[in-house]
Amino acid sequence: MHFKQINKTTWRCIADGPVDPFTGKRKQIARRGKSKGEAKERVEKAIEEIKKSHSFDSKVKFNKFSDQWLNLYRLKGNKETTVEYRAYCITVINKYIAQLKMTEITTLNLQRVLNDLFEKGTAYHTLRGIHNAAKMIFNYAKEVGVIGVNPVEAVFVPKKKLTLEETNGEDVSKLYLETDELKVFLNTVDAHRNIMNRTLIYTIAFTGMRPGEAIA
């Protein structure tokens, strides 16, 4: 809060108001009083009245709240393709928790959503997008006072553990030398004149070090 004395009998108090649920912005609230305390009291009363007018029904369900959030997201000037992608993510989440009240939705609820999608083979980048959309929606719900804690904060995106073949896109057998192949290779190395290079290659061959580690 900021106070300013206008004259001997008048004080002005200014404070940030609550987040407007339709614009996502805050407005400064100013009131005057015959004293510092009176000006402050009037500002606080005005803020409380604004909060009541902006507040959502405590029984608001996820599908209704997410629709309002999406409209706000569009009004902020985001690209239409991005808005459409957020809408798609909301559609997916709605299949699980559309009729749940915002105040009832827990971290466990949301984690189950991602886990089930993961088990059904949903791509990792799609899971990330759904997670991000949910996080933004519940962050907004927290900002406007619908919930006290964002349940998405503790939710993680499941990730498949890739095999070496999947990581490199090739047969693992092609990445390593068999014993007889290693012997032929090291015989060729022994003929190399530079002892430092020979030492380096032997170190890599018998310790499994990466080339960069061995050079260091």
Side-chain angles (χ1 to χ4, degrees):
M1 286 188 177
H2 175 70
F3 295 93
K4 183 178 181 180
Q5 188 170 14
I6 306 300
N7 52 51
K8 292 182 179 180
T9 59
T10 307
W11 282 82
R12 186 168 185 251
C13 178
I14 304 173
D16 288 333
V19 175
D20 188 310
F22 301 102
T23 65
K25 298 178 180 179
R26 294 178 184 272
K27 290 184 178 179
Q28 287 194 324
I29 308 300
R31 293 291 186 274
R32 295 189 180 193
K34 294 180 180 180
S35 66
K36 206 173 183 181
E38 184 178 334
K40 179 182 178 183
E41 185 178 340
R42 287 182 175 178
V43 165
E44 291 175 341
K45 185 178 180 180
I47 290 175
E48 284 303 313
E49 290 175 353
I50 293 172
K51 283 182 178 179
K52 289 179 182 178
S53 66
H54 286 178
S55 63
F56 286 84
D57 184 347
S58 61
K59 297 180 181 179
V60 64
K61 295 178 180 179
F62 178 81
N63 59 344
K64 296 295 183 183
F65 187 86
S66 58
D67 281 347
Q68 292 180 353
W69 174 84
L70 188 63
N71 289 332
L72 172 61
Y73 188 76
R74 181 180 282 107
L75 289 173
K76 287 183 175 180
N78 289 293
K79 293 181 180 178
E80 193 56 33
T81 52
T82 305
V83 175
E84 289 175 0
Y85 181 65
R86 300 300 183 200
Y88 162 74
C89 292
I90 290 172
T91 300
V92 175
I93 301 172
N94 271 332
K95 292 178 181 178
Y96 294 87
I97 61 172
Q99 295 304 310
L100 285 181
K101 297 175 186 176
M102 290 295 291
T103 54
E104 294 176 337
I105 300 170
T106 65
T107 297
L108 186 58
N109 292 141
L110 297 168
Q111 188 64 64
R112 283 172 177 165
V113 171
L114 290 182
N115 290 352
D116 187 63
L117 291 169
F118 172 73
E119 293 297 331
K120 290 178 178 177
T122 305
Y124 179 71
H125 75 275
T126 302
L127 292 176
R128 288 273 313 265
I130 292 170
H131 180 270
N132 288 337
K135 192 171 185 179
M136 287 188 284
I137 291 169
F138 283 92
N139 266 339
Y140 175 58
K142 182 180 176 181
E143 286 179 357
V144 297
V146 174
I147 58 176
V149 178
N150 185 345
V152 187
E153 292 293 344
V155 174
F156 67 90
V157 180
K159 188 175 183 180
K160 181 182 177 183
K161 184 177 181 180
L162 299 179
T163 63
L164 191 58
E165 291 94 332
E166 291 172 321
T167 303
N168 296 299
E170 57 183 309
D171 188 351
V172 176
S173 63
K174 296 179 181 180
L175 303 176
Y176 300 93
L177 297 177
E178 297 294 341
T179 303
D180 56 335
E181 293 174 326
L182 180 60
K183 288 180 179 178
V184 172
F185 175 67
L186 291 179
N187 285 336
T188 303
V189 171
D190 287 338
H192 201 284
R193 293 182 180 181
N194 191 316
I195 189 172
M196 290 298 293
N197 288 346
R198 295 203 306 272
T199 303
L200 182 64
I201 292 172
Y202 265 87
T203 301
I204 294 172
F206 288 99
T207 65
M209 278 188 186
R210 294 189 179 95
E213 294 173 331
I215 291 173

